[in-house]
Amino acid sequence: MRDGLRLAATTFTIAPVRPGRVDRGTAAVAMAVAPVVGALLGLLLGAVLTGLRLAHAPPVLAGALAVALEVLLTRGLHVDGLADTVDALGSYRDRDAALTIMRSPEVGPFGVAAVGLVLLIQATALGAIGYRPATAAIAGVTAAVATGRYAVTLACRRGVPAARPDGLGALVAGTVAAAPLIVDALLVAALAVPAVPARLWQGPLAVTAGLAAAALLVRHAVRRFGGITGDVLGAAVEVATTVTLVGLVLG
């Protein structure tokens, strides 16, 4: 359990935690607690957004600074995964060629466009959420970031294969059992309830939409690549987070 928590912290954040044992057993724990790590990160970002509102920062600037902080605290790994996954999917090449594109350090036009649009949408949505009452703002950001990490938990459920015999995907694919999936789903849904006080159903609905979008992406990636990779998991984080944020600010 301790090594799994360490692996979760070092995988999803830049937390200065000493690494422990790394195997599929610890990977199962790490992927199961991913939404908890996301919730803690979202709590921090929500507090920062609230502080920026109190400092009278313009909403777009506040949202952009929050996105920049999130990218910094995660080493930009998920954004990089989004770019590589979209480049590979957009190439319309066969499985092996697409996986080669995904491993390339270069970013193509599909990846650049995807990252730019996702970060722009996130910054705008976060800016709007940050100017809600503090409790709702923090709840919204926390729920959205936790949802992004729950998308990884969902993608690592048993029955989902890895695309390669090595790498992060091979380590974590198929490690998460049904019980953690259910517990994490309830946790993320509960976090989202106070995000829109006037419509308590909107937060859980936004979470559902975010997870559905990420699930469609993962399903398509499994068909194209034969399974998941670390890049696909990063893309799932960004897609789920972005769609959830959009769902929280509509209406």
Side-chain angles (χ1 to χ4, degrees), residues 129 140 143-144 147-148 203 206-211 239-249:
I129 291 173
T147 300
V207 167
T208 302
L211 292 174
V239 168
T241 302
T242 304
V243 173
T244 302
L245 287 171
V246 171
L248 290 174
V249 298

Side-chain angles (χ1 to χ4, degrees), residues 14-29:
I14 60 170
V17 178
R18 292 168 58 185
R21 189 179 82 247
V22 178
D23 55 26
R24 283 183 63 81
T26 57
V29 175

Side-chain angles (χ1 to χ4, degrees), residues 92-212:
Y92 292 101
R93 305 285 295 277
D94 60 38
R95 173 184 178 275
D96 292 337
L99 288 173
T100 299
I101 290 171
M102 195 179 294
R103 275 185 161 167
S104 172
E106 299 177 354
V107 180
F110 287 117
V112 171
V115 170
L117 289 171
V118 161
L119 295 183
L120 176 62
I121 294 168
Q122 287 184 6
T124 305
L126 284 169
I129 291 173
Y131 273 71
R132 290 176 175 173
T135 300
I138 293 174
V141 179
T142 301
V145 179
T147 300
R149 277 63 186 175
Y150 180 66
V152 173
T153 307
L154 194 61
C156 293
R157 67 189 182 278
R158 290 177 181 172
V160 178
R164 302 189 187 100
D166 57 353
L168 179 62
L171 177 66
V172 303
T175 59
V176 181
L181 286 174
I182 296 171
V183 173
D184 287 345
L186 294 174
L187 169 66
V188 175
L191 289 172
V193 170
V196 187
R199 296 180 295 276
L200 297 180
W201 50 266
Q202 185 169 342
L205 183 61
V207 167
T208 302
L211 292 174

